[in-house]
Every structure is written in C-alpha cells, then in structure tokens.
Amino acid sequence: MIDHIRQSLETIAAKDRMRAVRASEMTAGGRIERDGCQLIDFSSNDYLGLALHPLLKQRSCEFIERFGAGAGASRLITGTSQAHEDIERQIAAFKGTEAALVMASGWQANAGVIPALAKAAPRTVIFADELVHNSIHAGCRGAKAEVYFYRHNDLADLQRLLNDTASTFDGRVVITESVFSMDGDGADLAALNAIAAEHDAMLYVDEAHATGVLGERGAGLTADHPGAGVVMGTFSKALGGFGAYVACSQLMRDYLVNMCAGLIFSTAPPPAVLGSMSAALELVPEMDAERAHLAALSEQLREGLLAMGYDTRGSTTQIVPLVVGAEADALALGQHLLDRSIAALPIRPPTVPNGTSRIRFALRSTLSREDVDHVLSAVAEWRDA
Ligand SMILES: Cc1ncc(COP(=O)(O)O)c(C=O)c1O
C-alpha cells in the first residue's frame, strides 16, 4: 500500500499540483503573518473580522471556565448541555426557523445530513448544482440515492432533469449553495423555492458564505427567501469561529437527531466553540456597517478587474474570482501578488473546472480601500509585464 501512496504523491507532483499546509497567523487589520512576513490577507473567509474579536475570545474562555474543555460524549448520550440548547434557540431566532441543530463542522453537516435525508423515502433522487462544495459531493456519495448535477445556476436544466426523472422516485431533494464558494455568485432562491414546490421536492441550501454577510441583519439569503426544508451554514467563516448549524422545522430536527450519523456518532461541539458561537450570534445582526464596507470593497475590486478585461465569473459578493484559465498563469499571478505582500490563493483543478484556474479573492471588512487599490495595481503590473 505504501508504494501506491508514494506513487499517488509522485503523480500529483508531476502535475505540479502538490499541496502542503503552511503555518500562518491572523493579525489585526486584515493581515496574516507567515514566515515572519506581514501579508495583506485576501485568502481567509473571516469576512467580518470576528476571528480576533475580543468578545468571541472572552466568551470562549468563560464557557471553558464554566463547562470545561470537552462535551464528554455525543449529543444523544450525555453531550447535550444547556448551552447547546440555548445556542440552538439563538440560531433558530437568527435564521427565522422553528428549530436548529449545531454540528461539528460545515463539512460534517453536509456529509451527514444529506445521506440522512435520502433515507427518509424508499427511493430518493437528488438534484445538485454542479458547482456545489466538496462536502455536498461527499454527502451525495454517501446517500442511497440517485444523484443528478444540473448546470451551474441553470434552472431550465434543473427543470428538465426534474421533468424527465422526478416522478419515478418517492423523495426528491434539490441542493444549492446560496453563495457559491469559488465563483462568488448567488442562487435564485425565489425561483428554486418555486421549482421545488412545483415538483414536491425539498430544497436544501448551504449558506456557508452568506451567513453573517448577506440578508437582513446578516442572517443569510434564506432569511429573505424562506421555504427551504434544510438550511445549513457554518460558524467558521463570517462568524469567526468553528462549527456549523442546520436551521429547519422541529420535525426535521427530530428526524436528524434520530437519523443523522454525523450527529449521533460524533462527540458534541465543545464549550469553547459554543462560547464563540454565542458571541458571534450576538454581534452579527448589528454589523450592518461592516457588511456595507465589505460590499463596497468587493464592488471596488470587481469593477477594477472588469475594467482591465478580466473574467470575474458571475461574482456579486465578497468572493471575487479573477479567472486566468491556465494553471501556470494562476500560480505565476499568485506568486506575483505574494511578492507584493498580498496573500490571495491560486485555485486550480480539481477544485475548479479545467481551464478556469483563478485567483480567488476573499474580501474582509477589516481591509481598506487602499488595500484593494494595492491589489489592483499589482494585477495591472502583472498584466502589462
Ligand atoms: C460551501 C461550503 N460548504 C461547507 C463548507 C465546510 O465548512 P467548514 O469549514 O465549517 O467545515 C465550506 C468550506 O469551505 C464551503 O465553502
């Protein structure tokens, strides 16, 4: 087996796709420190700068002092504390749903909840947008269901697939992200709600990148367009901490507590994580000024890149891709930016489709207009070289 593992790594290296983890530390003002250098951080998903917020740190410490370091067991054994139930009530109020569940991570939520849903009906079919996150793919692979991927945000393609196949199944699920993680564009939730209702399908929405940033009081786009049967999101991005939530009806919550393996067979999220969740849920609804600044920075970057003739896909949010096409170009541009103290990740296949290698800029409210100007001049310099 070791030989196969070595060979796999050699194949990855031969394609120049070797990845490695590198230590960085987030610092104030939208910076990170890496190898002793301060970089302007356009890579992390800490969109509102909450990861370093004093209240999140303080509340995590308080929760550790009061409840200890670990939950001790899974939710169904003895791992559910009053704090879990309080946070779940806070999440439901924030999202405008009847109930909610906290999960260990967004990846685990998608990988666990989708297979659980598929078990509800004797024959289930899933229709997912082709650009959904790896964790949704993992959930679909783990589900006993037939899975179809519709063209990205192409609702006519979804309708066609539903018309052709849906009636031969007992249960139907349509899955989308509300903001797509690599293209930074949004889904048409009003239309998806209508299509799901027309075909008696359940809509499942991943709000990982919308939670905290978009929608009334930062509650995500489903708060403005209710109707999905399951909404999941993370505390690991704009909410500055870790862990995830599922917002849903009480019936769905009861079902997942009984059927979702990722919840039943995994230790409950620990007090420190619940502390930062509780603080973020208090702060986020009041952060309209930060959201407005973030939207303005995103617009400034997008307009600058579009004016230079670059493709930013359909981005309308704080995620702004600069598509260069070839992998080598994405790597070269990434290095060019790094040489100018800008951390912005090159993203290549298999994370994005072939021929769409890009720099993915993730804007943060802790950045300034001058930081964005600096990026735009660095990109212009690279283009003109
Ligand atoms: C759309 C989407 N869903 C889920 C996840 C996973 O969330 P977490 O980082 O909390 O595991 C991510 C993370 O990158 C994501 O982009």
Side-chain angles (χ1 to χ4, degrees):
M1 193 61 194
I2 284 293
D3 284 343
H4 291 291
I5 289 170
R6 196 169 290 117
Q7 221 164 47
S8 294
L9 279 177
E10 281 164 11
T11 308
I12 295 171
K15 289 184 186 159
D16 206 13
R17 287 188 185 168
M18 196 72 168
R19 305 180 207 216
V21 288
R22 294 182 62 189
S24 331
E25 226 168 85
M26 276 201 276
T27 56
R31 270 46 181 174
I32 53 169
E33 196 171 310
R34 182 190 282 165
D35 300 331
C37 299
Q38 282 280 330
L39 303 173
I40 311 171
D41 180 20
F42 283 86
S43 290
S44 81
N45 302 312
D46 179 31
Y47 301 125
L48 297 175
L50 287 181
L52 298 178
H53 195 286
L55 191 65
L56 271 76
K57 294 195 261 183
Q58 180 196 325
R59 192 69 59 80
S60 283
C61 294
E62 279 169 18
F63 272 45
I64 289 179
E65 286 300 331
R66 282 169 61 195
F67 305 113
S74 68
R75 293 291 301 272
L76 291 186
I77 308 298
T78 55
T80 298
S81 66
Q82 189 59 50
H84 288 91
E85 295 189 334
D86 291 347
I87 298 285
E88 288 173 347
R89 266 190 295 276
Q90 262 181 287
I91 296 168
F94 176 58
K95 297 292 292 180
T97 55
E98 210 179 7
L101 269 176
V102 290
M103 304 286 293
S105 75
W107 202 95
Q108 194 206 38
N110 282 330
V113 172
I114 296 167
L117 284 183
K119 279 190 265 184
R123 289 167 308 160
T124 298
V125 60
I126 296 172
F127 304 92
D129 187 290
E130 65 182 348
L131 289 194
V132 290
H133 187 255
N134 172 281
S135 51
I136 295 178
H137 282 275
C140 290
R141 278 196 301 276
K144 285 206 176 64
E146 198 142 321
V147 182
Y148 295 90
F149 291 97
Y150 58 93
R151 284 195 297 271
H152 177 51
N153 267 344
D154 184 340
L155 301 190
D157 194 38
L158 170 62
Q159 282 274 23
R160 181 187 60 77
L161 284 168
L162 280 158
N163 287 333
D164 288 355
T165 51
S167 60
T168 55
F169 293 89
D170 314 291
R172 292 162 281 279
V173 182
V174 173
I175 305 182
T176 188
E177 291 173 22
S178 55
V179 169
F180 286 86
S181 62
M182 290 298 141
D183 282 18
D185 55 348
D188 183 345
L189 292 183
L192 282 163
N193 273 330
I195 292 172
E198 183 191 336
H199 292 273
D200 190 22
M202 173 168 286
L203 184 62
Y204 181 112
V205 182
D206 178 330
E207 293 243 72
H209 296 277
T211 308
V213 176
L214 298 171
E216 189 72 25
R217 293 161 64 79
L221 294 174
T222 54
D224 296 350
H225 299 285
V230 174
V231 176
M232 66 73 62
T234 64
F235 283 87
S236 57
K237 304 188 194 297
L239 276 67
F242 189 69
Y245 67 83
V246 172
C248 55
S249 64
Q250 185 61 45
L251 180 85
M252 179 64 74
R253 185 182 188 276
D254 292 345
Y255 177 75
L256 293 175
V257 164
N258 283 276
M259 300 297 281
C260 179
L263 181 96
I264 299 169
F265 298 104
S266 186
T267 299
V273 164
L274 299 179
S276 65
M277 285 177 174
S278 143
L281 287 167
E282 259 173 54
L283 293 168
V284 159
E286 310 304 325
M287 296 183 79
D288 281 346
E290 285 81 358
R291 281 186 279 277
H293 178 59
L294 181 59
L297 292 180
S298 313
E299 196 53 32
Q300 182 192 350
L301 180 59
R302 228 174 356 255
E303 275 178 8
L305 295 176
L306 289 169
M308 281 187 248
Y310 283 115
D311 172 12
T312 58
R313 311 294 274 181
S315 165
T316 53
T317 66
Q318 77 282 6
I319 298 167
V320 182
L322 186 178
V323 176
V324 290
E327 292 185 43
D329 287 342
L331 287 176
L333 177 52
Q335 187 57 50
H336 172 87
L337 296 173
L338 201 54
D339 293 342
R340 280 143 193 83
S341 301
I342 297 162
L345 269 199
I347 309 273
R348 300 178 288 155
T351 306
V352 292
N354 281 328
T356 71
S357 289
R358 65 195 65 185
I359 298 291
R360 174 188 184 272
F361 292 103
L363 279 299
R364 311 172 59 193
S365 66
T366 41
L367 294 167
S368 66
R369 293 189 69 83
E370 290 70 37
D371 292 332
V372 174
D373 282 339
H374 180 51
V375 165
L376 288 170
S377 14
V379 172
E381 198 187 336
W382 183 76
R383 181 199 55 175
D384 299 339

